[in-house]
Amino acid sequence: MRVGVLTGGGDCPGLNAVLRAIVRKGAAAYGHEFVGFRDGWRGVLEGGADWVRPLGVPDVRGLLPRGGTILGSSRTNPFAVDDGVARIRRTLEGQGVDALVAIGGEDTLGVAAKLHDEGVRVVGVPKTIDNDLGGTDYTFGFDTAVSIAMEAIDRLHTTAESHHRVLIVEVMGRHAGWIALHAGMAGGANGILIPEQPFDVDRVEAWVESRFRDRYASIIVVAEGATPVGGAEVLQSGQTDAFGHARLGGVGDWLAHEIERRTGKEARTTVLGHVQRGGTPTARDRWLATRFGLHAIDAVEAGEWGMMTALRGTEIRMVPLLEATKQLKTVDPALYAEAEVFFG
């Protein structure tokens, strides 16, 4: 077969490892030919020669440690474009593509699920640093993001203690607190604020005061989608992307001002932002991304359309694409309760 591959949504470490595994096994074991679409669904919509590139074994050599994606990415939504499905069909037919592997998060796989309903032969691979996709225990990219955030927290401990400051670390995650929870626990934060649990500013103030009484500086990790009790999400702007998502960010600065006003202690904010997405993937993300790629091309060979790879325990299973998108995977209250032992 001639198989098309795309990477959509936000970039994350491990995408290139998936491409490498798909092409290496697909060519060697099954004799398939591969073509990559540039910039996610946008490349399939545009369909011209500038939006397509061949993917042979030589093209994917050396990709395992490389972050980002050699195909590029975008947050394009074909279902928000006039005749989007028809344009995708024309591109696939014009390129002689028999099947499509879509690598992405909630939005990219949501499009893949709808296209499957329209008769497009598609297999999905779940990725997101946010780890918020249903159907899989973990997504690749998450471990790298947590490791980067943890290292930043480790470094901030020394400057917080030297200057007797409160340091707020704002991390990504949108409406799920997985990065904040894992990085905060691993980094020894004395407070973690996540979207699933609206926070009481009085309680945060008490954590800070308690820390200073013991002559320790305070580090609070806050997810970008966290909200105070009775409050609303803090947005960077009122603009939304093609899937209707607003740009979150700024809750760290808001909290720092509140803490300074209430305690008189100097508070500073570090927003990690896109640094969490960048750089070389961790060993775990390389391992998971590679296994996802191997099983994705097996699914193409077996004709398991409308399915995606998923990690269940230590095994890779194929599950319906709808499982990835029907419900956001959020932090269990019991897991958050474990972390609360270290707050204050």
Side-chain angles (χ1 to χ4, degrees):
M1 285 189 285
R2 184 170 166 86
V3 181
V5 187
L6 64 88
T7 55
D11 69 298
C12 81
L15 285 167
N16 286 322
V18 180
L19 298 176
R20 170 180 175 268
I22 289 172
V23 173
R24 289 286 297 271
K25 184 169 187 179
Y30 303 125
H32 295 325
E33 179 184 358
F34 294 90
V35 60
F37 290 101
R38 299 184 188 275
D39 297 350
W41 292 116
R42 185 180 179 190
V44 192
L45 280 172
E46 299 292 344
D50 291 341
W51 296 93
V52 180
R53 61 167 290 180
L55 283 180
V57 172
D59 299 299
V60 299
R61 292 197 187 280
L63 289 186
L64 190 61
R66 185 170 168 181
T69 164
I70 62 168
L71 293 181
S73 190
S74 71
R75 297 188 185 279
T76 303
N77 182 1
F79 288 91
V81 178
D82 289 339
D83 299 324
V85 175
R87 289 170 61 182
I88 285 176
R89 288 186 187 280
R90 284 197 297 270
T91 296
L92 296 180
E93 291 173 3
Q95 293 293 331
V97 171
D98 302 300
L100 190 63
V101 178
I103 310 166
E106 176 188 8
D107 299 322
T108 300
L109 296 183
V111 170
K114 291 180 181 178
L115 289 174
H116 169 65
D117 291 339
E118 296 283 343
V120 176
R121 300 165 69 179
V122 60
V123 168
V125 176
K127 69 87 201 165
T128 170
I129 67 168
D130 301 334
N131 197 42
D132 60 357
L133 285 176
T136 182
D137 291 348
Y138 286 96
T139 52
F140 66 87
F142 172 67
D143 188 67
T144 304
V146 168
S147 297
I148 291 169
M150 180 199 69
E151 182 178 350
I153 296 166
D154 285 348
R155 293 175 180 274
L156 289 170
H157 273 291
T158 56
T159 187
E161 291 165 4
S162 297
H163 292 276
H164 314 293
R165 288 172 176 155
V166 181
L167 289 187
I168 312 295
V169 184
E170 183 179 312
V171 299
M172 287 181 165
R174 295 198 59 79
H175 304 293
W178 293 107
I179 295 176
L181 180 68
H182 282 242
M185 288 187 71
N190 71 293
I192 301 170
L193 308 177
I194 63 175
E196 294 88 341
Q197 301 278 345
F199 61 88
D200 184 339
V201 183
D202 290 337
R203 190 179 180 211
V204 177
E205 178 188 355
W207 297 341
V208 171
E209 295 285 13
S210 171
R211 195 77 167 175
F212 279 108
R213 280 196 299 272
D214 293 334
R215 296 187 179 276
Y216 278 94
S218 183
I219 290 187
I220 307 293
V221 176
V222 56
E224 62 185 355
T227 60
V229 175
E233 292 174 333
V234 180
L235 306 179
Q236 289 187 20
S237 70
Q239 296 179 333
T240 58
D241 64 19
F243 294 92
H245 301 307
R247 293 182 62 190
L248 299 175
V251 65
D253 279 335
W254 178 88
L255 183 60
H257 289 309
E258 276 294 303
I259 289 174
E260 281 195 346
R261 183 181 66 82
R262 288 164 171 261
T263 67
K265 305 293 185 181
E266 187 178 2
R268 299 288 180 86
T269 304
T270 298
V271 181
L272 295 184
H274 287 82
V275 71
Q276 293 160 95
R277 294 189 180 279
T280 188
T282 60
R284 180 176 175 80
D285 278 341
R286 297 184 200 190
W287 169 83
L288 182 56
T290 297
R291 293 188 71 200
F292 275 175
L294 296 175
H295 285 261
I297 196 60
D298 287 345
V300 169
E301 176 67 14
E304 297 182 77
W305 315 121
M307 305 292 280
M308 77 165 196
T309 56
L311 180 67
R312 298 285 180 84
T314 59
E315 295 184 4
I316 305 296
R317 305 277 183 85
M318 299 305 298
V319 302
L321 277 166
L322 288 176
E323 285 199 30
T325 57
K326 68 180 180 181
Q327 186 175 354
L328 200 67
K329 185 179 70 181
T330 54
V331 174
D332 189 304
L335 291 177
Y336 188 70
E338 291 177 357
E340 288 183 301
V341 171
F342 304 99
F343 295 176

